[in-house]
Amino acid sequence: MQNDEKTLIWTEGKKTTLLKTRVLDVTSIESTSSDGLKGDYVVMDAPDWVIVIPDAGDNFLMVKQWRHGERALSIEFPGGVIEANEAPEKAAARELKEETGFTAGKLVKLGTMNPNPALMSNHVHVFAAFDLHSTGQQHLDEDEYVHYLEVSKQEVYAKMGTKEYPHALMAAGLALYREYSV
Protein backbone atom coordinates (compact mmCIF):
# COMPACT_ATOMS: atom_id res chain seq x y z
CA MET A 1 0.00 0.00 0.00
CA GLN A 2 1.30 3.43 -0.93
CA ASN A 3 1.24 6.18 1.67
CA ASP A 4 2.42 9.16 -0.37
CA GLU A 5 -0.78 11.16 -0.78
CA LYS A 6 1.02 13.75 -2.93
CA THR A 7 0.78 11.28 -5.83
CA LEU A 8 -3.03 11.43 -5.58
CA ILE A 9 -3.38 15.21 -5.88
CA TRP A 10 -4.23 16.82 -9.22
CA THR A 11 -3.34 20.41 -10.14
CA GLU A 12 -6.12 22.54 -11.60
CA GLY A 13 -5.46 24.63 -14.66
CA LYS A 14 -7.75 26.41 -17.08
CA LYS A 15 -11.40 26.60 -15.98
CA THR A 16 -14.13 27.13 -18.60
CA THR A 17 -17.78 27.81 -17.79
CA LEU A 18 -19.93 25.57 -19.98
CA LEU A 19 -23.34 26.55 -18.59
CA LYS A 20 -24.59 29.17 -16.11
CA THR A 21 -27.99 28.69 -14.49
CA ARG A 22 -29.85 30.20 -11.58
CA VAL A 23 -28.95 27.26 -9.32
CA LEU A 24 -25.54 26.08 -10.52
CA ASP A 25 -22.72 26.53 -13.02
CA VAL A 26 -21.25 23.68 -15.01
CA THR A 27 -17.51 24.10 -15.56
CA SER A 28 -14.77 22.19 -17.31
CA ILE A 29 -11.46 22.16 -15.46
CA GLU A 30 -8.21 21.14 -17.12
CA SER A 31 -6.37 19.14 -14.48
CA THR A 32 -2.96 17.47 -14.38
CA SER A 33 -2.06 14.43 -12.28
CA SER A 34 1.14 14.23 -10.26
CA ASP A 35 2.77 12.18 -13.06
CA GLY A 36 1.69 14.57 -15.86
CA LEU A 37 -1.53 13.04 -17.18
CA LYS A 38 -3.88 15.82 -18.37
CA GLY A 39 -7.64 15.71 -18.64
CA ASP A 40 -10.75 17.88 -18.67
CA TYR A 41 -13.15 17.23 -15.78
CA VAL A 42 -16.68 18.56 -15.46
CA VAL A 43 -17.70 20.05 -12.11
CA MET A 44 -20.99 21.52 -10.94
CA ASP A 45 -20.44 24.66 -8.86
CA ALA A 46 -23.37 25.57 -6.63
CA PRO A 47 -23.91 27.35 -3.32
CA ASP A 48 -23.87 25.29 -0.14
CA TRP A 49 -27.18 23.92 1.17
CA VAL A 50 -28.70 23.14 4.55
CA ILE A 51 -30.91 20.28 5.70
CA VAL A 52 -32.88 20.72 8.93
CA ILE A 53 -34.20 17.70 10.84
CA PRO A 54 -37.01 19.09 13.01
CA ASP A 55 -37.54 16.84 16.04
CA ALA A 56 -41.15 17.02 17.21
CA GLY A 57 -41.03 14.34 19.92
CA ASP A 58 -42.15 11.06 18.34
CA ASN A 59 -42.43 12.80 14.96
CA PHE A 60 -40.38 14.75 12.44
CA LEU A 61 -41.63 17.80 10.57
CA MET A 62 -41.24 16.98 6.88
CA VAL A 63 -42.00 18.72 3.60
CA LYS A 64 -43.53 17.30 0.43
CA GLN A 65 -42.59 18.86 -2.87
CA TRP A 66 -42.18 18.17 -6.58
CA ARG A 67 -38.67 17.20 -7.66
CA HIS A 68 -38.01 17.86 -11.34
CA GLY A 69 -35.13 15.36 -11.65
CA GLU A 70 -37.21 12.56 -10.13
CA ARG A 71 -40.39 13.78 -11.89
CA ALA A 72 -42.33 12.94 -8.74
CA LEU A 73 -43.31 14.17 -5.29
CA SER A 74 -40.73 13.65 -2.55
CA ILE A 75 -41.06 13.72 1.23
CA GLU A 76 -37.96 15.35 2.73
CA PHE A 77 -36.63 17.31 5.64
CA PRO A 78 -36.84 21.10 5.19
CA GLY A 79 -33.81 22.75 3.66
CA GLY A 80 -32.42 24.86 0.90
CA VAL A 81 -29.67 27.08 -0.41
CA ILE A 82 -27.47 29.15 1.88
CA GLU A 83 -27.62 32.76 0.74
CA ALA A 84 -24.45 34.79 0.05
CA ASN A 85 -22.65 35.72 3.30
CA GLU A 86 -25.18 33.75 5.38
CA ALA A 87 -23.93 31.41 8.11
CA PRO A 88 -25.18 27.82 7.77
CA GLU A 89 -26.96 27.97 11.17
CA LYS A 90 -28.84 31.13 10.12
CA ALA A 91 -29.81 29.46 6.84
CA ALA A 92 -31.09 26.42 8.73
CA ALA A 93 -33.28 28.58 10.98
CA ARG A 94 -34.54 30.58 7.97
CA GLU A 95 -35.35 27.52 5.85
CA LEU A 96 -37.16 25.81 8.75
CA LYS A 97 -39.35 28.89 9.25
CA GLU A 98 -39.93 29.47 5.52
CA GLU A 99 -40.93 25.91 4.70
CA THR A 100 -42.81 24.86 7.85
CA GLY A 101 -43.69 28.03 9.74
CA PHE A 102 -41.82 26.69 12.79
CA THR A 103 -38.89 28.12 14.70
CA ALA A 104 -36.41 26.15 16.81
CA GLY A 105 -35.35 26.95 20.34
CA LYS A 106 -32.21 24.90 19.72
CA LEU A 107 -30.26 24.01 16.56
CA VAL A 108 -27.49 21.40 16.66
CA LYS A 109 -25.05 20.99 13.78
CA LEU A 110 -24.79 17.29 12.94
CA GLY A 111 -22.25 17.44 10.13
CA THR A 112 -21.17 18.69 6.72
CA MET A 113 -20.87 16.57 3.59
CA ASN A 114 -20.22 16.95 -0.12
CA PRO A 115 -23.28 15.69 -2.08
CA ASN A 116 -21.06 14.02 -4.71
CA PRO A 117 -17.35 14.90 -4.58
CA ALA A 118 -16.72 13.42 -8.04
CA LEU A 119 -18.95 16.02 -9.68
CA MET A 120 -19.93 18.74 -7.23
CA SER A 121 -17.98 21.46 -5.42
CA ASN A 122 -20.54 22.43 -2.78
CA HIS A 123 -21.46 21.08 0.65
CA VAL A 124 -24.61 20.34 2.61
CA HIS A 125 -24.75 21.28 6.30
CA VAL A 126 -27.09 19.14 8.40
CA PHE A 127 -28.79 20.44 11.55
CA ALA A 128 -31.23 18.98 14.07
CA ALA A 129 -33.90 21.37 15.35
CA PHE A 130 -35.43 21.01 18.81
CA ASP A 131 -37.93 22.92 20.98
CA LEU A 132 -40.13 23.74 17.98
CA HIS A 133 -42.69 26.57 18.03
CA SER A 134 -45.26 27.28 15.32
CA THR A 135 -45.56 30.77 13.88
CA GLY A 136 -48.66 29.57 12.03
CA GLN A 137 -47.44 30.59 8.60
CA GLN A 138 -45.01 29.43 5.92
CA HIS A 139 -42.93 32.04 4.04
CA LEU A 140 -42.18 30.26 0.77
CA ASP A 141 -40.07 31.60 -2.08
CA GLU A 142 -41.94 32.56 -5.25
CA ASP A 143 -41.12 29.27 -6.99
CA GLU A 144 -41.57 27.03 -3.92
CA TYR A 145 -44.63 24.84 -3.71
CA VAL A 146 -44.21 22.96 -0.45
CA HIS A 147 -46.59 21.29 1.97
CA TYR A 148 -45.33 20.49 5.44
CA LEU A 149 -46.51 17.55 7.50
CA GLU A 150 -45.73 15.72 10.72
CA VAL A 151 -44.60 12.14 10.19
CA SER A 152 -43.76 9.60 12.87
CA LYS A 153 -40.07 8.94 13.26
CA GLN A 154 -40.85 5.24 12.93
CA GLU A 155 -42.38 5.81 9.47
CA VAL A 156 -39.48 7.99 8.30
CA TYR A 157 -36.90 5.39 9.37
CA ALA A 158 -38.94 2.58 7.76
CA LYS A 159 -39.61 4.37 4.46
CA MET A 160 -36.35 6.26 3.85
CA GLY A 161 -35.06 5.09 0.48
CA THR A 162 -38.49 4.22 -0.93
CA LYS A 163 -40.42 5.89 -3.75
CA GLU A 164 -41.98 8.38 -1.30
CA TYR A 165 -38.60 9.20 0.31
CA PRO A 166 -36.10 8.98 -2.60
CA HIS A 167 -33.62 11.74 -1.67
CA ALA A 168 -30.20 10.28 -0.79
CA LEU A 169 -29.09 13.40 1.11
CA MET A 170 -32.10 13.02 3.42
CA ALA A 171 -30.99 9.46 4.18
CA ALA A 172 -27.47 10.74 4.94
CA GLY A 173 -28.92 13.44 7.21
CA LEU A 174 -31.11 10.89 8.95
CA ALA A 175 -28.03 8.72 9.60
CA LEU A 176 -26.28 11.70 11.24
CA TYR A 177 -29.40 12.38 13.32
CA ARG A 178 -29.63 8.74 14.40
CA GLU A 179 -25.97 8.76 15.48
CA TYR A 180 -26.52 12.00 17.43
CA SER A 181 -29.68 10.78 19.16
CA VAL A 182 -28.31 7.44 20.48
Side-chain angles (χ1 to χ4, degrees):
M1 180 166 103
Q2 296 176 329
N3 291 322
D4 184 8
E5 291 183 359
K6 291 178 186 175
T7 63
L8 303 175
I9 298 171
W10 292 61
T11 303
E12 290 187 356
K14 182 180 175 187
K15 185 174 180 178
T16 305
T17 301
L18 304 175
L19 176 67
K20 275 185 109 37
T21 74
R22 190 172 63 85
V23 295
L24 63 86
D25 295 343
V26 179
T27 59
S28 175
I29 302 172
E30 183 182 277
S31 296
T32 306
S33 70
S34 62
D35 62 358
L37 178 68
K38 289 184 184 276
D40 289 332
Y41 295 88
V42 175
V43 173
M44 291 179 276
D45 293 314
D48 282 4
W49 309 317
V50 291
I51 294 172
V52 185
I53 302 176
D55 183 314
D58 291 333
N59 300 322
F60 290 122
L61 290 183
M62 307 292 290
V63 295
K64 184 183 277 191
Q65 59 191 318
W66 181 260
R67 289 304 194 182
H68 296 280
E70 184 72 8
R71 295 178 182 93
L73 292 171
S74 177
I75 300 174
E76 306 172 5
F77 296 112
V81 173
I82 298 173
E83 295 175 358
N85 301 314
E86 184 179 35
E89 185 172 297
K90 296 287 185 195
R94 177 182 50 76
E95 287 290 343
L96 175 64
K97 187 175 181 182
E98 284 179 6
E99 293 189 358
T100 68
F102 281 77
T103 60
K106 178 181 173 186
L107 280 173
V108 176
K109 185 160 188 183
L110 301 178
T112 298
M113 298 175 273
N114 181 300
N116 183 346
L119 300 172
M120 303 181 82
S121 65
N122 68 329
H123 293 88
V124 60
H125 305 267
V126 183
F127 290 85
F130 300 97
D131 190 22
L132 303 175
H133 302 281
S134 176
T135 67
Q137 187 175 2
Q138 291 173 293
H139 299 280
L140 300 172
D141 294 335
E142 180 183 354
D143 64 346
E144 265 185 322
Y145 298 87
V146 174
H147 291 169
Y148 77 89
L149 51 150
E150 249 184 81
V151 182
S152 75
K153 289 179 180 177
Q154 181 180 11
E155 178 178 328
V156 174
Y157 281 118
K159 291 187 175 180
M160 190 59 69
T162 67
K163 186 177 177 177
E164 288 179 285
Y165 296 79
H167 200 311
L169 291 177
M170 301 302 143
L174 186 61
L176 291 175
Y177 173 85
R178 176 176 261 166
E179 184 64 29
Y180 172 80
S181 63
V182 290

PDB file of all heavy atoms in Angstrom, residues 98-115:
ATOM      1  N   GLU A  98     -39.317  29.256   6.833  1.00  0.00           N
ATOM      2  CA  GLU A  98     -39.933  29.473   5.524  1.00  0.00           C
ATOM      3  C   GLU A  98     -40.798  28.286   5.109  1.00  0.00           C
ATOM      4  O   GLU A  98     -41.931  28.465   4.659  1.00  0.00           O
ATOM      5  CB  GLU A  98     -38.857  29.682   4.445  1.00  0.00           C
ATOM      6  CG  GLU A  98     -38.206  31.038   4.456  1.00  0.00           C
ATOM      7  CD  GLU A  98     -37.131  31.176   3.391  1.00  0.00           C
ATOM      8  OE1 GLU A  98     -36.947  30.256   2.557  1.00  0.00           O
ATOM      9  OE2 GLU A  98     -36.466  32.224   3.400  1.00  0.00           O
ATOM     10  N   GLU A  99     -40.252  27.076   5.249  1.00  0.00           N
ATOM     11  CA  GLU A  99     -40.930  25.909   4.697  1.00  0.00           C
ATOM     12  C   GLU A  99     -41.983  25.303   5.607  1.00  0.00           C
ATOM     13  O   GLU A  99     -42.915  24.666   5.120  1.00  0.00           O
ATOM     14  CB  GLU A  99     -39.894  24.850   4.297  1.00  0.00           C
ATOM     15  CG  GLU A  99     -39.039  25.318   3.136  1.00  0.00           C
ATOM     16  CD  GLU A  99     -38.147  24.243   2.552  1.00  0.00           C
ATOM     17  OE1 GLU A  99     -38.135  23.097   3.063  1.00  0.00           O
ATOM     18  OE2 GLU A  99     -37.444  24.556   1.575  1.00  0.00           O
ATOM     19  N   THR A 100     -41.855  25.486   6.931  1.00  0.00           N
ATOM     20  CA  THR A 100     -42.809  24.859   7.850  1.00  0.00           C
ATOM     21  C   THR A 100     -43.577  25.852   8.706  1.00  0.00           C
ATOM     22  O   THR A 100     -44.592  25.490   9.298  1.00  0.00           O
ATOM     23  CB  THR A 100     -42.096  23.876   8.807  1.00  0.00           C
ATOM     24  OG1 THR A 100     -41.262  24.621   9.697  1.00  0.00           O
ATOM     25  CG2 THR A 100     -41.293  22.836   8.038  1.00  0.00           C
ATOM     26  N   GLY A 101     -43.083  27.076   8.829  1.00  0.00           N
ATOM     27  CA  GLY A 101     -43.695  28.029   9.740  1.00  0.00           C
ATOM     28  C   GLY A 101     -43.290  27.801  11.186  1.00  0.00           C
ATOM     29  O   GLY A 101     -43.864  28.399  12.092  1.00  0.00           O
ATOM     30  N   PHE A 102     -42.285  26.964  11.428  1.00  0.00           N
ATOM     31  CA  PHE A 102     -41.825  26.689  12.786  1.00  0.00           C
ATOM     32  C   PHE A 102     -40.455  27.327  13.027  1.00  0.00           C
ATOM     33  O   PHE A 102     -39.654  27.466  12.104  1.00  0.00           O
ATOM     34  CB  PHE A 102     -41.708  25.177  13.036  1.00  0.00           C
ATOM     35  CG  PHE A 102     -43.015  24.506  13.324  1.00  0.00           C
ATOM     36  CD1 PHE A 102     -43.905  24.219  12.300  1.00  0.00           C
ATOM     37  CD2 PHE A 102     -43.364  24.159  14.623  1.00  0.00           C
ATOM     38  CE1 PHE A 102     -45.125  23.597  12.559  1.00  0.00           C
ATOM     39  CE2 PHE A 102     -44.575  23.543  14.898  1.00  0.00           C
ATOM     40  CZ  PHE A 102     -45.464  23.259  13.859  1.00  0.00           C
ATOM     41  N   THR A 103     -40.211  27.685  14.274  1.00  0.00           N
ATOM     42  CA  THR A 103     -38.892  28.122  14.704  1.00  0.00           C
ATOM     43  C   THR A 103     -38.357  27.084  15.687  1.00  0.00           C
ATOM     44  O   THR A 103     -39.122  26.295  16.251  1.00  0.00           O
ATOM     45  CB  THR A 103     -38.936  29.502  15.383  1.00  0.00           C
ATOM     46  OG1 THR A 103     -39.793  29.422  16.528  1.00  0.00           O
ATOM     47  CG2 THR A 103     -39.420  30.575  14.420  1.00  0.00           C
ATOM     48  N   ALA A 104     -37.049  27.103  15.895  1.00  0.00           N
ATOM     49  CA  ALA A 104     -36.415  26.147  16.810  1.00  0.00           C
ATOM     50  C   ALA A 104     -35.783  26.889  17.968  1.00  0.00           C
ATOM     51  O   ALA A 104     -35.078  27.881  17.767  1.00  0.00           O
ATOM     52  CB  ALA A 104     -35.353  25.341  16.066  1.00  0.00           C
ATOM     53  N   GLY A 105     -36.022  26.398  19.174  1.00  0.00           N
ATOM     54  CA  GLY A 105     -35.348  26.952  20.340  1.00  0.00           C
ATOM     55  C   GLY A 105     -33.892  26.538  20.381  1.00  0.00           C
ATOM     56  O   GLY A 105     -33.061  27.211  20.990  1.00  0.00           O
ATOM     57  N   LYS A 106     -33.571  25.415  19.709  1.00  0.00           N
ATOM     58  CA  LYS A 106     -32.206  24.902  19.724  1.00  0.00           C
ATOM     59  C   LYS A 106     -31.903  24.245  18.378  1.00  0.00           C
ATOM     60  O   LYS A 106     -32.668  23.417  17.892  1.00  0.00           O
ATOM     61  CB  LYS A 106     -32.058  23.871  20.845  1.00  0.00           C
ATOM     62  CG  LYS A 106     -30.699  23.217  20.941  1.00  0.00           C
ATOM     63  CD  LYS A 106     -30.688  22.202  22.082  1.00  0.00           C
ATOM     64  CE  LYS A 106     -29.405  21.402  22.111  1.00  0.00           C
ATOM     65  NZ  LYS A 106     -29.454  20.323  23.110  1.00  0.00           N
ATOM     66  N   LEU A 107     -30.776  24.642  17.783  1.00  0.00           N
ATOM     67  CA  LEU A 107     -30.258  24.006  16.562  1.00  0.00           C
ATOM     68  C   LEU A 107     -28.925  23.355  16.892  1.00  0.00           C
ATOM     69  O   LEU A 107     -28.081  23.963  17.544  1.00  0.00           O
ATOM     70  CB  LEU A 107     -30.039  25.035  15.453  1.00  0.00           C
ATOM     71  CG  LEU A 107     -31.241  25.490  14.655  1.00  0.00           C
ATOM     72  CD1 LEU A 107     -30.845  26.635  13.715  1.00  0.00           C
ATOM     73  CD2 LEU A 107     -31.849  24.354  13.860  1.00  0.00           C
ATOM     74  N   VAL A 108     -28.738  22.126  16.435  1.00  0.00           N
ATOM     75  CA  VAL A 108     -27.490  21.398  16.656  1.00  0.00           C
ATOM     76  C   VAL A 108     -26.930  20.994  15.302  1.00  0.00           C
ATOM     77  O   VAL A 108     -27.616  20.334  14.511  1.00  0.00           O
ATOM     78  CB  VAL A 108     -27.726  20.125  17.509  1.00  0.00           C
ATOM     79  CG1 VAL A 108     -26.445  19.322  17.647  1.00  0.00           C
ATOM     80  CG2 VAL A 108     -28.304  20.483  18.868  1.00  0.00           C
ATOM     81  N   LYS A 109     -25.682  21.392  15.040  1.00  0.00           N
ATOM     82  CA  LYS A 109     -25.050  20.988  13.782  1.00  0.00           C
ATOM     83  C   LYS A 109     -24.625  19.532  13.892  1.00  0.00           C
ATOM     84  O   LYS A 109     -23.906  19.148  14.815  1.00  0.00           O
ATOM     85  CB  LYS A 109     -23.857  21.866  13.445  1.00  0.00           C
ATOM     86  CG  LYS A 109     -23.285  21.521  12.089  1.00  0.00           C
ATOM     87  CD  LYS A 109     -22.460  22.627  11.507  1.00  0.00           C
ATOM     88  CE  LYS A 109     -22.080  22.277  10.069  1.00  0.00           C
ATOM     89  NZ  LYS A 109     -21.225  23.279   9.486  1.00  0.00           N
ATOM     90  N   LEU A 110     -25.082  18.714  12.930  1.00  0.00           N
ATOM     91  CA  LEU A 110     -24.791  17.288  12.939  1.00  0.00           C
ATOM     92  C   LEU A 110     -23.618  16.923  12.038  1.00  0.00           C
ATOM     93  O   LEU A 110     -22.970  15.902  12.242  1.00  0.00           O
ATOM     94  CB  LEU A 110     -26.029  16.495  12.508  1.00  0.00           C
ATOM     95  CG  LEU A 110     -27.277  16.691  13.363  1.00  0.00           C
ATOM     96  CD1 LEU A 110     -28.438  15.887  12.792  1.00  0.00           C
ATOM     97  CD2 LEU A 110     -27.017  16.329  14.813  1.00  0.00           C
ATOM     98  N   GLY A 111     -23.358  17.745  11.026  1.00  0.00           N
ATOM     99  CA  GLY A 111     -22.246  17.437  10.133  1.00  0.00           C
ATOM    100  C   GLY A 111     -22.328  18.188   8.825  1.00  0.00           C
ATOM    101  O   GLY A 111     -23.321  18.851   8.529  1.00  0.00           O
ATOM    102  N   THR A 112     -21.269  18.074   8.044  1.00  0.00           N
ATOM    103  CA  THR A 112     -21.167  18.689   6.724  1.00  0.00           C
ATOM    104  C   THR A 112     -20.640  17.648   5.760  1.00  0.00           C
ATOM    105  O   THR A 112     -19.680  16.933   6.082  1.00  0.00           O
ATOM    106  CB  THR A 112     -20.217  19.905   6.764  1.00  0.00           C
ATOM    107  OG1 THR A 112     -20.760  20.878   7.663  1.00  0.00           O
ATOM    108  CG2 THR A 112     -20.051  20.526   5.392  1.00  0.00           C
ATOM    109  N   MET A 113     -21.268  17.554   4.588  1.00  0.00           N
ATOM    110  CA  MET A 113     -20.873  16.566   3.586  1.00  0.00           C
ATOM    111  C   MET A 113     -20.879  17.199   2.205  1.00  0.00           C
ATOM    112  O   MET A 113     -21.569  18.184   1.977  1.00  0.00           O
ATOM    113  CB  MET A 113     -21.869  15.405   3.569  1.00  0.00           C
ATOM    114  CG  MET A 113     -21.969  14.634   4.857  1.00  0.00           C
ATOM    115  SD  MET A 113     -23.256  13.380   4.787  1.00  0.00           S
ATOM    116  CE  MET A 113     -24.673  14.352   5.311  1.00  0.00           C
ATOM    117  N   ASN A 114     -20.153  16.587   1.286  1.00  0.00           N
ATOM    118  CA  ASN A 114     -20.220  16.955  -0.121  1.00  0.00           C
ATOM    119  C   ASN A 114     -21.230  16.017  -0.771  1.00  0.00           C
ATOM    120  O   ASN A 114     -21.105  14.796  -0.639  1.00  0.00           O
ATOM    121  CB  ASN A 114     -18.846  16.811  -0.779  1.00  0.00           C
ATOM    122  CG  ASN A 114     -18.863  17.201  -2.236  1.00  0.00           C
ATOM    123  OD1 ASN A 114     -19.579  16.624  -3.038  1.00  0.00           O
ATOM    124  ND2 ASN A 114     -18.058  18.180  -2.586  1.00  0.00           N
ATOM    125  N   PRO A 115     -22.250  16.547  -1.479  1.00  0.00           N
ATOM    126  CA  PRO A 115     -23.278  15.689  -2.078  1.00  0.00           C
ATOM    127  C   PRO A 115     -22.722  14.630  -3.030  1.00  0.00           C
ATOM    128  O   PRO A 115     -23.217  13.510  -3.068  1.00  0.00           O
ATOM    129  CB  PRO A 115     -24.182  16.659  -2.827  1.00  0.00           C
ATOM    130  CG  PRO A 115     -23.967  17.965  -2.151  1.00  0.00           C
ATOM    131  CD  PRO A 115     -22.534  17.965  -1.679  1.00  0.00           C
TER     132      PRO A 115
END
